């Protein structure tokens, strides 16, 4: 069973539904014990970075999540804010640290410098840098649906599996098996997004 | 780079689509889920449902519509019309819609934008502006479905809405709405350059070049249209092919 973590950050219905359509069985997890009994874990989320970390903390999920992620014992998928939370910190809230699985921080799009609208809202392309079971049979340069004002800047370049251009070039898909994370919303990205979810289910 | 979006809009009354998809032989053109599926397949980048239900009791039917739509399509969708409280938003988002569009309630009490944005995140709060020309390069904001003039100048209101936490502006020119003479480009350009959040242009789209003009001359990030799509005068594919041919990035 795939545990979709419910920590009050955004609607989980679309994510769960899309995973189920791709053959995965899901349940909503709110407690540390839910993470234990899951085969795989999905961390979705829209909203504010600090607020999200506080919500995870309140549900006593930070340490169990860190344990699972650092040991690599279960496949993990982070979506949108669920990608950003894997890093050390975010410009969105400097007082609250992230899960610190990966070195690097989360930055705001420099809208003045790039002269583009923030949030980035809509369909943008992802260029894959290597092959991976996570993106199997997903055409390179596929469009995915993005909604975000912040993006992660990993220290280790080897984390970058896919990159996207929006004034700056940023890591839109990161991978360190069995950890995967995407900045876009696969559940809102039609065939390409569903394919990625299917690959995660099959992983 | 980010593609420009083409967004069909469906009016929903008491849970049924009014002026639904007519360009294919759909067994039930009033079924919101069926219409949503058609546009999902046709290449729409997003969908907007405008709830024009008059009575408060029947508004609950929109929640059931949102639930069913969310289970049927894999593109984002927005619900607007009659949203007045945080609880209204909470229920719609929980039902599975991705964004809500606020109009009258936001003009009457601008703090509502801040509260909603703070509670649910900027990305899901769209502020819809119905604007009507009231002078040289000046447009007034109307509420209550375009019936009541407000005290707001449209450009000032758009900037204020952004400051309060709107994630996107859905701009409708009341002068052009339903005319098929093209968007009000001056209004669209002024609003789009006044704010740094995305702007969806709406009202008046009737021909292929109107899409191009709204995006290139009006500097909009997306175009919303209703009847040209529903009645099959234009297909989303045709619009996108035309835009691509003229150097506009679309998906």
């Amino acid at each position: 069973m795939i545990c979709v973590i419910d920590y009050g950050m955004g609607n989980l219905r679309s994510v769960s539904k899309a995973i189920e359509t791709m053959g995965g069985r899901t349940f909503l997890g709110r407690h540390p014990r839910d993470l234990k009994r899951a085969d795989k874990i999905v961390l979705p989320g829209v909203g504010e970075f600090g607020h999200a970390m506080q919500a995870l903390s309140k549900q006593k999920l930070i340490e169990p999540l860190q344990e699972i992620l650092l040991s690599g014992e279960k496949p993990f998928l982070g979506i949108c804010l669920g990608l950003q939370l894997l890093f050390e910190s975010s410009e969105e809230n400097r007082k609250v640290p992230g899960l610190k699985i990966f070195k690097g921080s989360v930055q705001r799009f420099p809208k003045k410098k790039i002269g583009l609208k923030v949030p980035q809202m809509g369909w943008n392309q992802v260029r894959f840098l290597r092959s991976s079971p996570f993106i199997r049979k997903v055409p390179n340069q596929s469009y995915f649906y993005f909604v975000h004002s912040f993006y992660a800047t990993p220290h280790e370049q080897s984390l970058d599996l896919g990159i996207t251009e929006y004034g700056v070039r940023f890591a839109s898909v990161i991978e360190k098996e069995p950890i995967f994370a995407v900045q876009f919303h696969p559940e809102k990205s039609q065939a390409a997004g569903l394919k990625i979810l299917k690959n995660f289910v099959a992983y | 780079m980010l593609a420009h979006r083409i967004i069909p809009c469906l009016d929903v009354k008491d849970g049924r689509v009014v002026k639904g998809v007519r360009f294919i032989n759909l067994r039930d053109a009033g079924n919101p889920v069926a219409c949503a599926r058609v546009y999902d397949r046709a290449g729409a980048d997003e969908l907007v449902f405008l709830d024009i239900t008059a009575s408060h009791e029947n508004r609950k039917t929109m929640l059931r519509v949102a639930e069913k739509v969310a289970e049927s399509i894999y593109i984002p969708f927005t619900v607007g019309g009659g949203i007045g409280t945080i609880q209204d938003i909470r229920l719609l988002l929980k039902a599975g819609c991705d964004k809500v569009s606020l109009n009258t309630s936001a003009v009457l009490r601008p703090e509502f934008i801040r509260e909603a944005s703070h509670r649910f995140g900027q990305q899901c709060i769209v502020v819809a502006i119905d604007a009507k020309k009231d002078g040289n390069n000046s447009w007034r904001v109307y509420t209550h479905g375009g019936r009541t003039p407000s005290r707001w100048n449209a450009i000032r209101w758009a900037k204020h809405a952004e400051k309060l936490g709107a994630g996107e502006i859905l701009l409708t020119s009341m002068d052009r709405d339903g005319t098929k003479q093209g968007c009000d480009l001056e209004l669209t350009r002024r609003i789009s350059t006044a704010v740094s959040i995305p702007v969806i242009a709406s009202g008046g789209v009737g021909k292929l070049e109107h899409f191009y003009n709204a995006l290139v001359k009006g500097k909009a990030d997306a175009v919303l249209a209703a009847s040209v799509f529903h009645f099959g005068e234009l297909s989303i594919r045709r619009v996108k092919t035309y835009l691509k041919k003229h150097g506009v990035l679309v998906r």
Side-chain angles (χ1 to χ4, degrees):
Chain A
M1 292 275 274
I2 299 173
C3 172
V4 178
I5 300 179
D6 179 5
Y7 58 124
M9 299 302 283
N11 118 69
L12 312 170
R13 191 190 187 85
S14 306
V15 174
S16 301
K17 174 72 193 168
I19 293 172
E20 304 232 321
T21 305
M22 292 299 106
R25 288 177 60 211
T26 67
F27 70 99
L28 293 183
R30 297 179 184 88
H31 308 286
R33 63 170 183 274
D34 295 326
L35 303 185
K36 282 216 170 70
R37 72 184 168 103
D39 305 313
K40 292 176 185 165
I41 292 168
V42 175
L43 181 63
V46 289
E48 201 254 345
F49 188 92
H51 185 191
M53 285 306 296
Q54 280 155 5
L56 286 175
S57 163
K58 213 181 256 173
Q59 288 173 232
K60 301 196 164 38
L61 291 173
I62 293 184
E63 277 177 27
L65 257 178
Q66 283 171 328
E67 237 168 72
I68 288 168
L69 284 160
L70 291 170
S71 67
E73 63 181 281
K74 289 175 189 182
F76 171 94
L77 172 60
I79 297 174
C80 195
L81 188 58
L83 176 149
Q84 298 176 6
L85 295 175
L86 296 175
F87 291 86
E88 294 169 296
S89 63
S90 171
E91 282 186 1
E92 193 171 12
N93 189 331
R94 292 179 190 280
K95 289 179 209 135
V96 182
L99 289 169
K100 298 189 271 192
I101 305 305
F102 300 128
K103 284 206 162 65
S105 65
V106 177
Q107 295 177 9
R108 187 176 244 282
F109 282 119
K111 63 181 170 194
K112 291 232 168 73
K113 201 169 122 202
I114 62 179
L116 294 168
K117 303 289 181 82
V118 177
Q120 161 165 242
M121 193 175 292
W123 298 79
N124 203 338
Q125 287 172 296
V126 175
R127 182 156 69 84
F128 298 122
L129 302 177
R130 56 174 184 262
S131 64
S132 154
F134 186 58
I135 51 165
R136 208 172 72 90
K137 290 192 177 162
V138 180
N140 202 4
Q141 304 281 14
S142 289
Y143 276 100
F144 294 91
Y145 191 82
F146 288 82
V147 189
H148 62 131
S149 302
F150 296 82
Y151 63 98
T153 53
H155 277 192
E156 305 166 55
Q157 271 204 342
S158 62
L159 285 178
D160 299 4
L161 174 58
I163 54 168
T164 295
E165 307 261 353
Y166 191 65
V168 296
R169 180 178 297 174
F170 68 95
S172 49
V173 186
I174 63 173
E175 172 197 64
K176 187 171 187 179
E177 293 189 61
I179 300 172
F180 307 95
V182 291
Q183 180 57 62
F184 51 79
H185 288 271
E187 76 281 11
K188 293 288 166 184
S189 299
Q190 289 189 319
L194 292 175
K195 188 74 206 166
I196 275 188
L197 292 176
K198 192 173 185 177
N199 289 338
F200 180 71
V201 169
Y203 183 79
Chain B
M1 283 304 301
L2 189 67
H4 291 93
R5 287 167 287 157
I6 304 299
I7 307 174
C9 175
L10 292 155
D11 285 354
V12 178
K13 192 177 183 191
D14 303 324
R16 301 277 297 163
V17 174
V18 191
K19 297 188 294 184
V21 174
R22 303 281 170 188
F23 63 89
I24 56 159
N25 196 3
L26 200 59
R27 207 178 303 155
D28 181 4
N31 180 342
V33 176
C35 290
R37 279 209 182 106
V38 167
Y39 282 127
D40 180 30
R41 269 187 233 126
D45 295 308
E46 283 183 35
L47 281 180
V48 170
F49 289 93
L50 187 61
D51 188 6
I52 55 170
T53 304
S55 77
H56 194 71
E57 302 83 73
N58 282 350
R59 295 202 156 272
K60 287 192 191 102
T61 57
M62 195 61 222
L63 292 176
R64 284 200 292 279
V65 168
E67 274 176 21
K68 285 193 197 131
V69 169
E71 287 176 2
S72 312
I73 61 170
Y74 298 102
I75 55 173
F77 71 99
T78 303
V79 171
I83 296 167
T85 64
I86 291 290
Q87 175 72 349
D88 291 343
I89 301 176
R90 198 182 71 79
L91 291 175
L92 279 166
L93 295 178
K94 196 158 166 269
C97 81
D98 300 283
K99 305 185 230 179
V100 292
S101 152
L102 314 178
N103 192 336
T104 302
S105 57
V107 176
L108 296 183
R109 201 172 68 80
E111 276 301 305
F112 184 43
I113 300 173
R114 194 200 299 276
E115 289 160 20
S117 178
H118 188 253
R119 176 70 185 78
F120 304 105
Q122 184 195 19
Q123 78 293 331
C124 66
I125 305 301
V126 182
V127 170
I129 301 178
D130 291 338
K132 192 173 178 175
K133 200 161 180 144
D134 68 348
N136 214 2
N137 289 330
S138 172
W139 295 263
R140 181 133 319 259
V141 176
Y142 278 67
T143 59
H144 299 89
R147 292 189 297 276
T148 317
S150 78
R151 65 184 181 90
W152 284 98
N153 165 280
I155 296 162
R156 275 188 45 235
W157 173 236
K159 283 175 142 172
H160 193 58
E162 176 184 25
K163 206 173 87 193
L164 291 172
E168 193 168 37
I169 301 281
L170 167 52
L171 175 66
T172 303
S173 157
M174 291 170 57
D175 305 295
R176 296 299 178 89
D177 206 19
T179 65
K180 299 200 174 162
Q181 291 177 346
C183 291
D184 185 333
L185 298 179
E186 191 56 29
L187 168 69
T188 308
R189 191 183 61 78
R190 279 175 183 260
I191 300 258
S192 193
T193 50
V195 297
S196 59
I197 52 177
V199 172
I200 305 169
S202 146
V205 180
K207 291 186 190 152
L208 289 170
E209 59 260 41
H210 295 160
F211 286 89
Y212 176 90
N213 288 343
L215 295 170
V216 176
K217 296 182 185 162
K219 297 189 186 297
D221 301 278
V223 180
L224 177 134
S227 49
V228 281
F229 290 139
H230 305 332
F231 293 97
E233 291 157 45
L234 293 174
S235 71
I236 295 168
R237 285 275 165 250
R238 237 184 105 201
V239 170
K240 289 194 170 179
T241 306
Y242 176 89
L243 290 171
K244 258 182 214 167
K245 207 177 100 192
H246 289 81
V248 179
L249 184 63
V250 286
R251 180 172 69 106

Coordinates of all heavy atoms in Angstrom, one line a residue, chain A residues 4-5 16 26 49 52 75 125 127 142 166 201:
Chain A
V4 N -0.2 8.1 1.3 CA -0.2 9.5 0.9 C -0.3 10.3 2.2 O -1.3 10.1 2.9 CB -1.4 9.8 -0.1 CG1 -1.4 11.3 -0.4 CG2 -1.3 9.0 -1.3
I5 N 0.7 11.0 2.5 CA 0.7 11.7 3.8 C -0.2 12.9 3.9 O -0.2 13.8 3.0 CB 2.2 12.2 4.2 CG1 3.1 11.0 4.2 CG2 2.2 12.9 5.5 CD1 4.6 11.4 4.5
S16 N -4.2 10.9 -4.8 CA -4.6 9.5 -4.5 C -5.4 8.9 -5.7 O -5.1 7.7 -6.1 CB -5.5 9.4 -3.3 OG -4.9 10.0 -2.2
T26 N -3.8 3.1 -2.4 CA -3.3 4.1 -1.5 C -4.1 4.2 -0.2 O -5.3 3.7 -0.2 CB -3.5 5.5 -2.2 OG1 -4.9 5.8 -2.3 CG2 -2.8 5.6 -3.5
F49 N 6.1 26.7 3.2 CA 7.2 25.8 3.7 C 7.2 25.7 5.2 O 7.1 24.6 5.7 CB 8.5 26.4 3.2 CG 9.7 25.5 3.4 CD1 10.1 24.6 2.4 CD2 10.4 25.6 4.6 CE1 11.2 23.8 2.6 CE2 11.5 24.7 4.8 CZ 11.9 23.8 3.8
A52 N 4.2 24.0 6.6 CA 4.2 22.5 6.3 C 5.1 21.8 7.3 O 4.7 20.7 7.8 CB 4.7 22.3 4.8
P75 N 10.6 3.3 -1.2 CA 10.4 4.3 -2.3 C 9.6 5.5 -1.8 O 8.6 5.3 -1.1 CB 9.7 3.5 -3.4 CG 10.0 2.1 -3.1 CD 10.1 1.9 -1.6
Q125 N 8.1 22.6 -19.9 CA 8.8 21.4 -20.3 C 9.8 20.9 -19.4 O 10.5 21.8 -18.7 CB 9.4 21.6 -21.7 CG 8.3 21.6 -22.8 CD 8.9 22.0 -24.1 OE1 9.4 23.1 -24.3 NE2 8.9 21.1 -25.1
R127 N 13.4 18.7 -19.3 CA 14.5 18.0 -20.1 C 15.1 17.0 -19.2 O 15.6 17.4 -18.1 CB 15.5 19.1 -20.6 CG 16.6 18.4 -21.5 CD 17.2 19.4 -22.4 NE 17.9 20.5 -21.7 CZ 19.2 20.3 -21.4 NH1 19.9 19.2 -21.7 NH2 19.9 21.3 -20.8
S142 N 8.6 16.6 -22.4 CA 7.2 16.6 -22.1 C 6.8 17.8 -21.3 O 7.6 18.3 -20.5 CB 6.8 15.3 -21.3 OG 6.9 14.2 -22.1
Y166 N 12.7 28.6 -16.4 CA 11.7 29.7 -16.2 C 12.5 30.9 -15.7 O 12.6 31.1 -14.5 CB 10.7 29.3 -15.1 CG 9.5 30.3 -15.1 CD1 8.7 30.4 -16.2 CD2 9.3 31.0 -14.0 CE1 7.6 31.3 -16.2 CE2 8.2 31.9 -13.9 CZ 7.4 32.1 -15.0 OH 6.4 33.0 -15.0
V201 N 4.5 3.6 -9.1 CA 3.7 2.4 -8.6 C 4.5 1.1 -8.9 O 4.5 0.2 -8.1 CB 2.3 2.4 -9.2 CG1 1.6 1.1 -8.9 CG2 1.5 3.6 -8.7

